[in-house]
Amino acid sequence: MSQNNDLTQGAPLRKIIQFSIPLVGGSIFQQFYNFIDTLIIGRLLGIDALAAIGAYYPLSFLILGFVQGSCIGFSIPLAQSVGEENPRHIQRYLVGGYLICLVLAIIITPIMIVSTHSILTLLSTPHQILQLATGFTMIAFAGIPANILYNYSASALRAFGDSNHPFYFLVMSLFLNIALALFMILYLHLGLLSVAIATVISEFFAGILNVIFFIYSGRFPKIKVTTDGLNRRILGHICMIGFPMGLEYSVSAIGAVIMQDAINLLGVTAVAAQSAGDKIRQLFTLPMESVGMAIATYMAQNYGARKPQRIKQGIKSGSLIQLSWSFAAFVLVMIFKKTLIGLVLGTTHGQTFHLTDIYLTTISFFFIVHGLLMIFRNTLQGLGHSMYAIVSGLGELVGRGIASLVAMTSIGYTAICYANQLAWGLSLCYCVFMVWWVFKKDNHLKPNTTPL
């Protein structure tokens, strides 16, 4: 691991920042792409296309969130083995993770393609955007194998302490994504489908680059597919950590689906406003999620190395990073929100602009809650207690469900503006308690334990 970033040595704050920078950079570029994507859709394809993306988002959160969460979870035992410096376990967990990803792609992809139209109809998607949303979503789900390939290959590289190369390959893929989308919209006239097709191609491109680098760079163990790598206990352990992380994403996403149903009932204007507002919000909150991903790997390596004191220091350092960024993000939103909304919607007035402004103003006050949630939730996951994290997803489900019920009353859109904050707050309270509980009960986190 000498050529990569060893998170079990050195000052925790410096190590976390060093490891987080490529992850944050990747999320910024990802959101830069999403922002450009939204600009392209809003300016070239219109409000209906923007609303169709908004209708797709909770399904993306539900299904692709499950995929992403599972892939990150599959890499946690690998990162723990790297911290433990156990070559045999490293080989087993690496091969086992790829095998499980293959099976997951084969099972989930056709199911989601076939059920797309029925799900969007069930969610009360406005009739005028139903066809657009269905076409876009079906192509996005056809790209699930590409999404799995990128997420697991990137997570495997990060498990060894390399967060730089997944970032480089992601940036390359995002430029490819923008170029392909513009080409297909302007010259092939494929409309909104262009964006989905370009995304699938670029994700596959980035995933292939990750795999090629892993195999040929000489910095990582050679992948050997043997029966030893298909050990049932190893595969079971990967699934027990990975799938609960995916389910945690999905359970919280069910709340987003319920909330989207409530937004859809408020009409296309509300759907477009919330979609535009959430796209802008993600510019500021996804870096927090990237720090959370770094925390998960940091915790996993130090758990494998049996260093409980570094784990506690990591929680403090991660919380300090999130506090600092939350304040900076709030200030930036207050200064630039009207400019950003105008760029997305192509207008500086009207009801959609006004509702988007309300959404951003309300949610920016609570960025710190989201930031701290990412630290404590990912601490649980990095320590291998992803089953506990599922319940935090229930907190988000309850929070968004309550807000959605209130939104159906006379309060309406205002309740939607507070849905995420309520979800984050409930989940944070639970995760803080569970981290305290794990430190009391897990023998690997008690002082003076000896590495196995």
Side-chain angles (χ1 to χ4, degrees), residues 124-142:
S124 306
T125 303
H127 181 72
Q128 70 190 79
I129 63 171
L130 180 58
Q131 184 176 353
L132 273 176
T134 300
F136 181 91
T137 305
M138 287 182 70
I139 293 175
F141 285 157

Side-chain angles (χ1 to χ4, degrees), residues 77-354:
L78 176 60
Q80 291 176 346
S81 299
V82 170
E84 189 182 5
E85 298 183 349
N86 188 323
R88 189 181 184 192
H89 279 179
I90 289 173
Q91 174 67 26
R92 284 177 158 186
Y93 284 121
L94 182 62
V95 173
Y98 273 109
L99 176 63
I100 293 169
C101 283
L102 176 62
V103 174
L104 178 63
I106 292 172
I107 293 175
I108 198 172
T109 304
I111 293 174
M112 294 316 304
I113 293 174
V114 170
S115 60
T116 293
H117 185 273
S118 299
I119 296 174
L120 288 171
T121 302
L122 185 64
L123 291 175
S124 306
T125 303
H127 181 72
Q128 70 190 79
I129 63 171
L130 180 58
Q131 184 176 353
L132 273 176
T134 300
F136 181 91
T137 305
M138 287 182 70
I139 293 175
F141 285 157
I144 286 175
N147 188 281
I148 291 175
L149 174 64
Y150 171 74
N151 278 297
Y152 183 69
S153 60
S155 296
L157 287 173
R158 288 192 288 265
F160 285 92
D162 184 357
S163 57
N164 289 315
H165 287 89
F167 166 64
Y168 301 150
F169 301 145
L170 175 64
V171 171
M172 292 168 62
S173 73
L174 292 180
F175 281 114
L176 174 65
N177 201 332
I178 293 171
L180 285 174
L182 284 172
F183 175 78
M184 286 187 281
I185 289 173
L186 296 175
Y187 296 100
L188 300 184
H189 308 291
L190 294 178
L192 188 60
L193 300 183
S194 305
V195 178
I197 295 170
T199 299
V200 172
I201 293 174
S202 64
E203 280 186 340
F204 181 74
F205 174 72
I208 288 296
L209 289 180
N210 283 335
V211 173
I212 291 174
F213 177 75
F214 192 99
I215 293 174
Y216 294 106
S217 68
R219 298 172 60 177
F220 307 97
K222 296 296 182 182
I223 301 177
K224 300 176 183 178
V225 182
T226 64
T227 54
D228 184 56
L230 305 180
N231 181 284
R232 284 189 295 177
R233 184 181 65 81
I234 294 294
L235 294 176
H237 184 52
I238 295 171
C239 291
M240 283 298 293
I241 293 181
F243 285 125
M245 284 184 67
L247 288 172
E248 178 265 311
Y249 276 63
S250 292
V251 168
S252 63
I254 292 172
V257 172
I258 294 172
M259 188 174 74
Q260 187 63 46
D261 189 29
I263 298 170
N264 289 341
L265 294 175
L266 297 177
V268 172
T269 299
V271 173
Q274 194 272 341
S275 176
D278 222 45
K279 287 284 187 181
I280 297 170
R281 186 268 300 174
Q282 288 174 40
L283 284 170
F284 300 97
T285 58
L286 276 184
M288 301 176 190
E289 295 172 20
S290 297
V291 172
M293 291 170 62
I295 286 292
T297 303
Y298 173 92
M299 297 300 175
Q301 283 195 11
N302 282 283
Y303 184 84
R306 306 295 191 264
K307 295 187 175 181
Q309 191 57 38
R310 284 185 62 81
I311 291 174
K312 293 179 181 179
Q313 292 170 341
I315 294 174
K316 294 176 183 177
S317 298
S319 298
L320 178 61
I321 294 170
Q322 301 289 51
L323 178 63
S324 302
W325 172 247
S326 297
F327 177 75
F330 170 76
V331 172
L332 290 171
V333 169
M334 291 299 103
I335 295 174
F336 296 110
K337 62 178 179 176
K338 293 186 182 297
T339 301
L340 293 172
I341 296 170
L343 284 172
V344 172
L345 298 178
T347 179
T348 56
H349 61 276
Q351 184 67 4
T352 304
F353 183 95
H354 176 65

